[in-house]
Amino acid sequence: MTDVTMLLDDFDLVAARADGVADPGEVQAAAEAAKALRQRSGFIGDTLVVALAGGTGSGKSSVLNAFAGAEIASVSPVRPHTDFPLAWIPSDAGPGLERMLDELSIYERASHDAFPGLAILDLPDIDSIVEWHRTVVEDLLPRIDAVIWLFDPEKYRDPMLHEEFLQRLSRHGDQFLFVLNKVDRIARDELDAVVADLTTALREDGY
């Protein structure tokens, strides 16, 4: 993917210098095609960009902190808590990732050297009472490589999560990894039944 990024950067330079030389309509059409390629599903670059998504209280920030081994994202019993996306990115991620985060208006960032080539985005709660949280998440999904979707054992069957979000996103199913979080809150003799029920719900959603 690095080669693709370099080609697009070179094309941007050529397009910028084409003013007065090439047909403006053709340059504009080519520029739009290049922009669409940059915004394709997934990040064009060496860094794997993974988002932590899910409903209110599913534990996204706590999972990010577990990855980091430090309190990168704040956690709170107040719901909703995460108002803005937070990017945990490699210190040598390069300008391509920084540019993508700028385009997505993700300004809260923390750098790391723990996992070279891995960036994790902590997203706002998609079922929050704060309506614009949904818009933020929906805008991000087509631009990243993978989604780790967390479920809370108490809300994993929430119709809002399934009908308003997961069913609509099932066309991106190969980007998703589903995780049942906080399983310590489920009785051992009930865990298999909960997992089977969640699996059934996801199949009904189209996954």
Side-chain angles (χ1 to χ4, degrees):
M1 298 308 293
T2 303
D3 293 340
V4 175
T5 304
M6 292 174 63
L7 286 172
L8 288 172
D9 289 342
D10 289 343
F11 175 81
D12 289 343
L13 179 61
V14 171
R17 294 178 175 176
D19 186 30
V21 179
D23 178 84
E26 292 182 359
V27 173
Q28 180 63 28
E32 291 176 358
K35 181 179 180 181
L37 181 56
R38 285 188 184 278
Q39 295 180 341
R40 86 197 199 328
S41 180
F43 172 65
I44 297 178
D46 288 337
T47 303
L48 180 69
V49 182
V50 179
L52 296 174
T56 306
S58 58
K60 298 180 297 298
S61 298
S62 295
V63 167
L64 175 56
N65 291 339
F67 269 111
E71 188 169 333
I72 302 301
S74 65
V75 296
S76 170
V78 178
R79 302 292 181 239
H81 179 62
T82 303
D83 282 331
F84 300 97
L86 166 67
W88 187 61
I89 62 176
S91 56
D92 59 351
L97 180 59
E98 296 279 358
R99 182 169 57 234
M100 186 196 78
L101 295 175
D102 288 343
E103 292 173 355
L104 294 171
S105 300
I106 300 178
Y107 301 118
E108 294 190 26
R109 305 170 192 177
S111 61
H112 71 85
D113 296 306
F115 301 100
L118 175 65
I120 299 179
L121 310 181
D122 180 23
L123 303 186
D125 306 321
I126 61 93
D127 60 339
S128 166
I129 57 174
V130 183
E131 183 69 24
W132 66 268
H133 280 191
R134 304 185 193 183
T135 303
V136 169
V137 176
E138 289 174 336
D139 287 346
L140 284 172
L141 288 179
R143 302 291 305 278
I144 59 181
D145 295 304
V147 180
I148 298 177
W149 192 286
L150 300 175
F151 287 100
D152 184 308
E154 298 178 0
K155 297 178 58 181
Y156 72 91
R157 270 287 195 174
D158 186 339
M160 178 181 293
L161 293 176
H162 293 275
E163 296 173 10
E164 296 191 19
F165 288 93
L166 290 174
Q167 290 178 14
R168 298 179 183 182
L169 297 170
S170 61
R171 66 185 183 280
H172 302 293
D174 58 351
Q175 291 178 257
F176 279 74
L177 172 67
F178 295 103
V179 175
L180 181 62
N181 198 21
K182 304 181 180 180
V183 294
D184 56 307
R185 298 185 179 183
I186 306 174
R188 295 179 69 91
D189 60 347
E190 297 178 357
L191 180 57
D192 288 345
V194 172
V195 170
D197 190 38
L198 174 55
T199 301
T200 297
L202 291 171
R203 287 175 177 161
E204 292 172 350
D205 291 338
Y207 293 88

